[in-house]
Amino acid sequence: MLLTAPAEAIPVQEISVHHKNIKLFIKREDLIHPQISGNKYWKLFYNINNYLEKNPENPYIITFGGAFSNHIAAVSAVGKLSGISTLGIIRGEELQDKWRDNPTLLLAKRNGMNLKFVTREEYRHKEKLTEFLHKEFPDALIVPEGGTNKEAIEGVKMMLNDQTKDFDYLCTAVGTGGTVAGIAKFCEENQKVIGFKVVDDASLGNKISELTSGRNFNLIDSCFGGYGKIKDENIRFINEFKEKYGIPLEPVYTGKMMQKVFELIDEGYFPENSRVLCFHTGGLQGIEGANLLLEKQNRNLII
Ligand SMILES: *Cc1c(COP(=O)(O)O)cnc(C)c1O
């Protein structure tokens, strides 16, 4: 087994908010593994372990992602640790000659991942590509974008334990929806799940419902102008949060989720005495790439 459950409990830290006696906590899944961070570790857990258990003759792991993808970074690290070749199908042909300038892709390459750059149009038709790859590499494990599939949902179950049981609200950022689906599927019956949507995708509710039958989740828009877009207020929030609580957030997922949680608290969304738990889903490797873009735009950086 390559990926194992952690020997020690993952820290759950209080974030003091002094408002209507609301208790806010953050569970530091970002600390789970130095290279395979946060929810990606759990989403890959069964995908990788089940695959390796079958002892494939020609092991190969193939997956998909954008230029700053935490999932690509995580899969490349799995490849390096297991000595298995990996292939990343990356959105955007234009990166073909520029991947060295992108810290995520550079990290993936250094981990030994082969990168294949495809047009946005080709990327949109991933099913076709997947079909082709299955024929070309019959022994390969092909993990969908963001790692979201049935095995991923089972892995997300491991984010829930005795530490998480007594909270009224469980909060997580939503990209492809796998993480929020897993939390909603396996949490306690009386717990409410909030997914903070950082992608403007109207079909997300349906996608999540395909992965969990429960209706115990709510989706709240937290796009702040669009997926991967970073506003000055986002940078300000992340930097103040780190200064005040000593916890780093990244600008694509966890920064936007926490900012929205604070907004909800101010608006009185949570009833008095609520216990709220946010999952820190990791992805801190993305800060470096974000800062390079911000630097080019002469803007404040994430500290
Ligand atoms: C991928 C990712 C998410 C989103 O997870 P989904 O299961 O795709 O919804 C949230 N936070 C971070 C840090 C991520 O890397």
Side-chain angles (χ1 to χ4, degrees):
M1 201 150 95
L2 180 72
L3 303 181
T4 54
E8 284 170 44
I10 293 163
V12 175
Q13 298 172 333
E14 180 160 12
I15 313 275
S16 52
V17 286
H18 308 296
H19 192 90
K20 286 192 172 174
N21 202 27
I22 286 168
K23 294 276 185 213
L24 180 64
F25 288 79
I26 187 162
K27 184 160 184 269
R28 301 288 307 274
E29 305 291 346
D30 58 309
L31 300 174
I32 180 92
H33 191 281
Q35 283 112 43
I36 313 168
S37 159
N39 62 340
K40 299 303 184 282
Y41 187 92
W42 298 120
K43 292 175 80 176
L44 288 169
F45 192 87
Y46 289 111
N47 274 295
I48 300 294
N49 287 340
N50 293 352
Y51 177 64
L52 294 182
E53 250 168 46
K54 285 189 281 188
N55 283 320
E57 208 167 305
N58 298 301
Y60 198 28
I61 306 171
I62 305 175
T63 196
F64 303 84
F68 298 95
S69 167
N70 296 322
H71 172 68
I72 287 289
V75 171
S76 74
V78 164
K80 187 175 182 190
L81 286 172
S82 60
I84 293 175
S85 302
T86 55
L87 170 64
I89 312 275
I90 309 298
R91 179 178 55 224
E93 278 184 304
E94 73 282 2
L95 295 159
Q96 179 81 50
D97 312 311
K98 292 193 293 196
W99 60 264
R100 281 176 195 81
D101 304 332
N102 177 298
T104 302
L105 298 177
L106 192 60
L107 171 88
K109 266 281 201 199
R110 290 201 171 130
N111 280 337
M113 183 177 249
N114 298 306
L115 301 178
K116 181 172 167 50
F117 299 94
V118 300
T119 63
R120 276 152 227 282
E121 179 64 16
E122 284 174 294
Y123 192 87
R124 210 168 296 132
H125 301 290
K126 285 184 286 298
E127 304 75 42
K128 249 195 202 160
L129 265 172
T130 304
E131 222 173 273
F132 170 80
L133 291 163
H134 265 303
K135 283 196 192 123
E136 190 82 3
F137 306 103
D139 266 2
L141 169 68
I142 303 181
V143 185
E145 179 181 50
T148 290
N149 57 15
K150 276 211 189 88
E151 287 77 13
I153 308 300
E154 290 298 317
V156 168
K157 188 179 181 182
M158 313 268 271
M159 290 166 57
L160 303 168
N161 56 24
D162 281 349
Q163 297 167 289
T164 66
K165 269 209 303 237
D166 296 328
F167 287 93
D168 304 304
Y169 293 88
L170 300 175
C171 303
T172 188
V174 176
T176 59
T179 306
V180 72
I183 292 171
K185 182 167 181 180
F186 295 113
C187 71
E188 303 295 309
E189 223 169 278
N190 58 335
Q191 291 182 305
K192 295 184 189 71
V193 179
I194 308 177
F196 293 81
K197 272 201 311 179
V198 300
V199 185
D200 186 16
D201 177 356
S203 67
L204 263 173
N206 286 337
K207 284 183 190 157
I208 295 165
S209 294
E210 279 171 24
L211 297 164
T212 173
S213 55
R215 311 194 80 190
N216 54 340
F217 69 90
N218 252 327
L219 295 179
I220 291 183
D221 173 58
S222 315
C223 287
F224 292 94
Y227 179 68
K229 299 265 162 49
I230 309 169
K231 296 195 167 180
D232 288 338
E233 60 167 317
N234 301 133
I235 300 168
R236 212 177 308 126
F237 178 87
I238 288 170
N239 287 345
E240 281 175 13
F241 191 88
K242 186 164 180 196
E243 255 169 32
K244 192 155 179 206
Y245 304 109
I247 298 172
L249 302 171
E250 47 68 49
V252 181
Y253 296 97
T254 53
K256 288 183 176 179
M257 167 188 68
M258 276 325 294
Q259 190 170 347
K260 197 73 194 180
V261 167
F262 274 46
E263 280 179 27
L264 293 181
I265 290 172
D266 281 344
E267 289 164 12
Y269 177 93
F270 301 107
E272 218 165 322
N273 302 318
S274 292
R275 287 173 54 80
V276 182
L277 179 66
C278 299
F279 288 95
H280 193 315
T281 41
L284 299 171
Q285 66 85 28
I287 292 176
E288 197 186 340
N291 272 343
L292 279 178
L293 288 180
L294 293 169
E295 207 172 2
K296 273 194 201 142
Q297 298 164 352
N298 267 322
R299 294 169 59 196
N300 284 339
L301 304 187
I302 297 162
I303 52 172

